[in-house]
Amino acid sequence: MNNESDFIKTVFGLKLRQQRQKKEWSLQDLADKTKLSKSYLNEIENGKKYPKHDKILQLAEVLNCKFDDLVSTKLDKNLAPFGELLQSDFFKEIPLDLFGINKNTLINIISEAPKQITAFINTLIEISQNYNLGKERFYFAVLRSFQELHDNYFPEIEEIAQNFASENNLKLGKNINIQHLEEILAKTFGYEIKSENFENHGTLNNLRSLYIPEKKLLLLNQLLDENQKTFIFAKEIGFNVLKLIPRPNTYSWLDFTSFDELLNNYYASYFAGCILIPKEELVEKLEDFFDENEWNSQKLADLISHFTNSPETFYYRLTNILSSEFGIKDLFYLCFVKKKDTDKIQILKELHLNQQQAPHANSMNEHYCRKWIAIKNLKELKENETLTSAQISHYKDSGLSYLVLSTSHKNPFSDGTNRSYCIGILLNSNSLKKIKFAKNSSVKSEYVGVTCETCNIYDCDARKTPPTRLEKENFNESMKKSIAKIRKEML
């Protein structure tokens, strides 16, 4: 709860509702007996109002309960689990309003079965702890859910970015003038911008930028290239134009203390994407690209380079545009990283629109399928090379197929690390109609799994480890069938 006053009002409302329900009275019945309005009583029960002393006496008399029992914040055994939940950080940590959920509605639901619902929530918390889901990962999961709820498209930010560009005579896209952006930050928003050798400050060599709000000072890592500076400038402009407070002051390593900071960081990044890859031109170019009858990797590479030198920015921008302008909402975006001299591959970023698509991050240290095109590219990548390709991935277990577009390259900021980005589009009647080459044999097909530990393609030549989790599931299912057979024979 936000504060002690909210807690006291909520507890009183719960107790009043409990006493009323014991009598099997409706809210109107209580209103008739106390001569208090139904709307007033409803606000009390929902924790919005706390009655004065004389009103509490009146309620206690009508309900035949003690005054002290109503005003005490001590809950009986039925509501005690809910009291613990109210005093925890649950309602503070989860931004219910983002999902259109009214806190009082949720409280009403929980109060109907406090033991069961609280036990369920505590179970989720325990699962998150067992799987090492800390606050940071929890916040990112909430943010992804919020993005998915809106198809990762925010027209109001698109419009604000477009209007800002017009008012400031910005040339959008790859030809954007970085000096112009720097000048806007300095003259319009009062920034001072300096280049800094972060390596002289301990473990900050992977920090790209640091903003010091007290001085409006933006420190840039001197290792940044022009494209990275451009993104940071566009993002800082986004913070100011969208009036985003609070905000994180670091990039790309994020130091945030609340979900609002993380959400505002996303909004500013979205604004930057609008500036760096304008929607109208991207839609026009994509329509031409999708109209090709055969797959051509060079054409995709040329399309990316037309807009940006950052494949990551391009692929992520596609998640905004494909859903809003092409009606392609069944898709996923993944960003992989592979460090030099190691076979370990991690998923750094992921986004799933419309449903939890087949390939997804796994926190159990399992081996991602080596037949994914993004991972194959990472393995085959040579020094200073960029690989762009496509694949039709058939997921045997789910029966779903995706057109996956992917680009891999050396991470321009840190030595010894390669990154791979991909966007997967579910093949259905809509996507096959919009993307002509998806039906052509020029795109190679592959049967894939999610992780080796869960994959049912037993003859896979790329398997890194046996399907241990799948085998355990099969064993358990076999045991159930055997037990059921025995029971049937014995009855």
Side-chain angles (χ1 to χ4, degrees), residues 165-313:
S166 299
E167 292 167 3
N168 290 273
N169 298 314
L170 274 178
K171 293 181 179 179
L172 301 184
K174 195 172 182 179
N175 294 324
I176 196 166
N177 189 321
I178 187 173
Q179 283 76 29
H180 194 174
L181 296 179
E182 188 171 0
E183 184 179 300
I184 290 171
L185 283 172
K187 293 186 177 180
T188 304
F189 301 113
Y191 274 51
E192 180 183 1
I193 301 170
K194 290 183 179 180
S195 181
E196 183 73 17
N197 183 358
F198 286 153
E199 290 184 351
N200 293 333
H201 302 278
T203 59
L204 298 176
N205 57 314
N206 287 323
L207 188 66
R208 298 192 184 188
S209 67
L210 171 64
Y211 177 63
I212 302 175
E214 295 83 356
K215 293 186 175 183
K216 285 197 172 183
L217 174 62
L218 179 63
L219 298 177
L220 301 176
N221 193 316
Q222 65 179 20
L223 299 177
L224 293 175
D225 61 28
E226 187 164 299
N227 295 293
Q228 293 163 334
K229 289 180 183 178
T230 301
F231 180 82
I232 291 172
F233 288 164
K235 185 176 173 181
E236 286 296 328
I237 290 173
F239 279 122
N240 287 274
V241 172
L242 298 174
K243 297 180 173 60
L244 299 173
I245 298 173
R247 53 157 291 179
N249 296 319
T250 54
Y251 178 78
S252 56
W253 177 79
L254 288 179
D255 180 24
F256 56 89
T257 58
S258 69
F259 179 78
D260 285 340
E261 289 185 17
L262 184 62
L263 179 62
N264 287 338
N265 182 73
Y266 166 73
Y267 284 148
S269 296
Y270 192 104
F271 179 94
C274 299
I275 294 293
L276 300 178
I277 302 182
K279 181 177 75 172
E280 290 184 6
E281 185 180 5
L282 179 57
V283 169
E284 181 183 339
K285 296 289 184 183
L286 280 175
E287 287 175 343
D288 292 339
F289 175 64
F290 289 157
D291 205 41
E292 296 284 339
N293 290 314
E294 292 190 0
W295 161 252
N296 186 312
S297 60
Q298 188 57 49
K299 288 188 176 180
L300 177 57
D302 291 342
L303 178 61
I304 295 172
S305 64
H306 174 79
F307 288 100
T308 177
N309 291 320
S310 169
E312 180 177 14
T313 302

Side-chain angles (χ1 to χ4, degrees), residues 145-169:
S145 297
F146 174 66
Q147 292 170 255
E148 293 157 14
L149 181 66
H150 293 272
D151 295 325
N152 203 31
Y153 181 70
F154 294 86
E156 63 277 12
I157 299 181
E158 299 274 352
E159 183 179 356
I160 292 171
Q162 181 61 52
N163 291 339
F164 178 83
S166 299
E167 292 167 3
N168 290 273
N169 298 314

